[in-house]
Amino acid sequence: MPRSRGEKEDCDKHAGLLKLLQVLSFLVVFVAGVVIGLATSSHINEHFGSKAELYSFINHFSAPLKENCSFVKGCDKVEDCLSIKTFVKPKNLSHRLSDDELFWRASMVPMKAEFPYKRVPKVAFMFLTRGPLPMLPLWERFFVGHQRLSNIYVHAVPGYRLNVSSTSPFYRREIPSKQVSWGDVTLADAERRLLANALLDFSNERFVLLSESCIPVYNFSTVYKYLIGSAHSFVDSYDDPSRYGRGRYSRRMLPDIKLYQWRKGSQWFELNRAVAVYIISDTKYYNIFKSYCLPACYPDEHYLPTYINMFYGSLNSNRTVTWVDWSMGGPHPATYGAANITADFIQSIRSNSTFCQYNSEVTSICYLFARKFAPSALQPLLNLSSSVMEF
C-alpha cells in the first residue's frame, strides 16, 4: 500500500537524525582518541624527558669529578670519586679552591662520633718555608718507618717544588700557596692555609707548625705519643705589659677585643683537631686583626694567642713545644751553626732542668722541636741523631 506524503517526510527526518547521531558519535570517538593520544604522548615524553634530564645531570656532575674529584687525578668512575676513602683522605694535595672555599670545606665536622672505618690518628707536620728545607735529610731520617702515623704539608712560594726522590716522605707534599711577607697578615694566612689543607684528611688529629730551620730533638715515637696523648693544644699565650705586648693593642678593636684579653706568643704552635677547626672557621676576629693589627703589630704573634685565650683557654697549655733562644735580644732569635752543635747542647734542649705541665702531671720533656738552625748545622746534627736524638 503506497505511503502518504506525510509518512515519507517522517521517514526522511528519522534518517537525517540517524546520520547526525552517527556523525556526532564519530566526532566524540575522534576527540576522545585525540585527548587520550595527547595524554599518553605527554606522559611518555615526560617520562623519557625526565630520564634524559637525569642522565644529563649525572653526566654533567660526573664530568668535573673526573678532573677534580676530591683532588684525585685520573678518577674514571663516579663511585670511586665519591667513596668514603677518597672523601676522608685526598690522594694528592693539588686543588683549585680559593681560601674561602678551602676553609669552608675544611670546617666540616661530622656530628656522628663513630667513624665508619678504622681510623688511625696521625700527626700533621706543617712546614712554612720560603724555599728549600736545609734540614730535610734530618727530617727524612726522623720519618723513616712512620709514614702511616704522619702526614707532611709544605707551604712554599707559589710554584716551588722540593727536589726530592719519589721515595721521600716529602715527595709532592706542597700545598697550593700564595706569596708571604714577614711581619704582615699573609704569614697568618699561610698558617691557616696549612691548617685547612691538613684538616681535609680526617686522620690528622694533631697539627704542628714548623719552619725550614726547625729540627726534632726526640724520635718520632716519643713525639707521636706526646702529642696524641695530650689533652691540650700547645699555643704560647701570655700577657706582656710592655710596648711589645700591650703596646701593640689597638683600641679600634673594641668592643670585640678588650685590652685585658690581648695576648702575645710564639708563632710556632701545635693544635688538636677541634681547636684547628675553630681557628679556620673564624672570620669575625681574624678580620679584626687583618684590619687593625698592622706593623708594628704582628698577627702571627697575637691572633692565635688572643683568640684562644678568649674562647678556648681551657683547651690550651699556654706553652709551646718548640724551643727558641731569644736571649740575644732583637727581632729575631739566635741562629745556631755547625760550631754550636754538640751532644751537650742538644741534650740541654731535651732536658734543660725545667719542668712543665703535661695533662695532670709534671714532666721534664717540655720541648719536642727546636729552632733556628743554619744549613751548616745539618751534618753535625745527622752525626748526633742516633746517639742523642735516638733516630
Side-chain angles (χ1 to χ4, degrees):
M1 181 176 178
R3 295 180 180 177
S4 67
R5 183 176 179 182
E7 289 176 338
K8 288 182 178 180
E9 288 178 354
D10 290 338
C11 288
D12 290 340
K13 286 181 180 180
H14 289 305
L17 290 171
L18 183 60
K19 289 181 179 179
L20 180 61
L21 288 172
Q22 290 175 339
V23 171
L24 289 173
S25 299
F26 174 78
L27 288 174
V28 169
V29 172
F30 176 77
V31 170
V34 170
V35 170
I36 293 171
L38 289 174
T40 303
S41 175
S42 174
H43 176 73
I44 292 172
N45 288 338
E46 180 181 355
H47 175 74
F48 286 102
S50 63
K51 290 287 187 182
E53 289 175 2
L54 177 61
Y55 294 142
S56 175
F57 171 77
I58 292 174
N59 291 333
H60 174 74
F61 181 69
S62 62
L65 285 174
K66 289 183 179 180
E67 299 175 4
N68 241 356
C69 173
S70 290
F71 322 136
V72 180
K73 293 182 178 179
C75 182
D76 296 324
K77 297 180 180 179
V78 176
E79 307 85 67
D80 294 339
C81 293
L82 297 178
S83 69
I84 186 68
K85 184 177 180 180
T86 301
F87 179 75
V88 300
K89 181 179 175 58
K91 292 185 178 179
N92 65 62
L93 302 183
S94 63
H95 59 78
R96 293 188 291 272
L97 297 176
S98 67
D99 280 352
D100 286 341
E101 292 169 336
L102 173 65
F103 296 154
W104 178 83
R105 169 65 178 82
S107 69
M108 294 182 179
V109 177
M111 297 301 292
K112 191 174 178 64
E114 302 83 9
F115 290 90
Y117 61 97
K118 185 179 180 181
R119 179 179 184 261
V120 176
K122 298 183 179 182
V123 177
F125 292 83
M126 308 180 301
F127 290 85
L128 181 56
T129 175
R130 289 164 289 189
L133 292 173
M135 299 295 138
L136 187 133
L138 185 68
W139 282 106
E140 287 180 325
R141 184 178 294 184
F142 170 81
F143 285 116
V144 167
H146 301 291
Q147 278 95 321
R148 69 182 186 87
L149 298 176
S150 62
N151 283 313
I152 296 171
Y153 302 85
V154 179
H155 189 294
V157 294
Y160 180 81
R161 292 292 178 267
L162 292 171
N163 184 22
V164 295
S165 71
S166 59
T167 59
S168 170
F170 288 84
Y171 182 64
R172 292 184 178 178
R173 300 307 297 175
E174 301 87 359
I175 67 167
S177 62
K178 293 184 180 181
Q179 289 289 350
V180 174
S181 298
W182 181 85
D184 69 19
V185 75
T186 58
L187 197 56
D189 287 338
E191 295 172 4
R192 283 159 55 94
R193 199 173 296 122
L194 276 164
L195 270 179
N197 277 278
L199 281 166
L200 296 181
D201 188 328
F202 280 75
S203 67
N204 290 327
E205 185 62 28
R206 309 291 301 205
F207 305 79
V208 56
L209 181 68
L210 302 157
S211 75
E212 69 266 29
S213 64
C214 283
I215 66 165
V217 294
Y218 285 93
N219 60 31
F220 183 91
S221 297
T222 301
V223 171
Y224 180 85
K225 182 180 179 180
Y226 194 98
L227 296 180
I228 294 295
S230 176
H232 302 91
S233 293
F234 297 95
V235 178
D236 199 24
S237 178
Y238 58 92
D239 180 16
D240 180 358
S242 76
R243 64 189 180 97
Y244 301 109
R246 291 191 188 183
R248 295 173 177 176
Y249 171 78
S250 172
R251 292 182 62 84
R252 290 180 292 178
M253 296 182 177
L254 289 170
D256 299 295
I257 302 174
K258 300 174 177 61
L259 178 60
Y260 76 88
Q261 298 170 318
W262 186 255
R263 293 293 183 272
K264 182 181 178 179
S266 170
Q267 172 189 359
W268 311 104
F269 60 76
E270 194 283 334
L271 303 170
N272 65 25
R273 188 173 185 91
V275 175
V277 171
Y278 293 143
I279 288 166
I280 61 98
S281 302
D282 171 48
T283 300
K284 176 180 177 179
Y285 294 92
Y286 191 68
N287 284 338
I288 291 174
F289 273 83
K290 289 180 72 171
S291 299
Y292 303 123
C293 183
L294 306 172
C297 176
Y298 305 107
D300 59 291
E301 293 182 3
H302 293 282
Y303 167 65
L304 270 186
T306 300
Y307 181 71
I308 289 178
N309 172 63
M310 291 175 65
F311 300 105
Y312 307 108
S314 63
L315 303 178
N316 186 35
S317 65
N318 286 332
R319 66 182 178 90
T320 179
V321 287
T322 300
W323 179 88
V324 184
D325 182 6
W326 288 99
S327 63
M328 304 297 289
H332 301 287
T335 300
Y336 293 94
N340 306 111
I341 307 304
T342 65
D344 288 342
F345 172 62
I346 300 301
Q347 194 61 48
S348 71
I349 299 174
R350 287 163 53 96
S351 301
N352 59 0
S353 300
T354 60
F355 294 90
C356 53
Q357 192 79 17
Y358 178 81
N359 294 338
S360 58
E361 302 176 351
V362 175
T363 179
S364 61
I365 300 179
C366 300
Y367 299 109
L368 305 177
F369 314 99
R371 67 184 301 269
K372 299 174 63 172
F373 291 86
S376 63
L378 174 62
Q379 192 55 53
L381 287 169
L382 287 172
N383 295 339
L384 295 174
S385 67
S386 60
S387 59
V388 180
M389 295 175 277
E390 301 176 353
F391 63 86

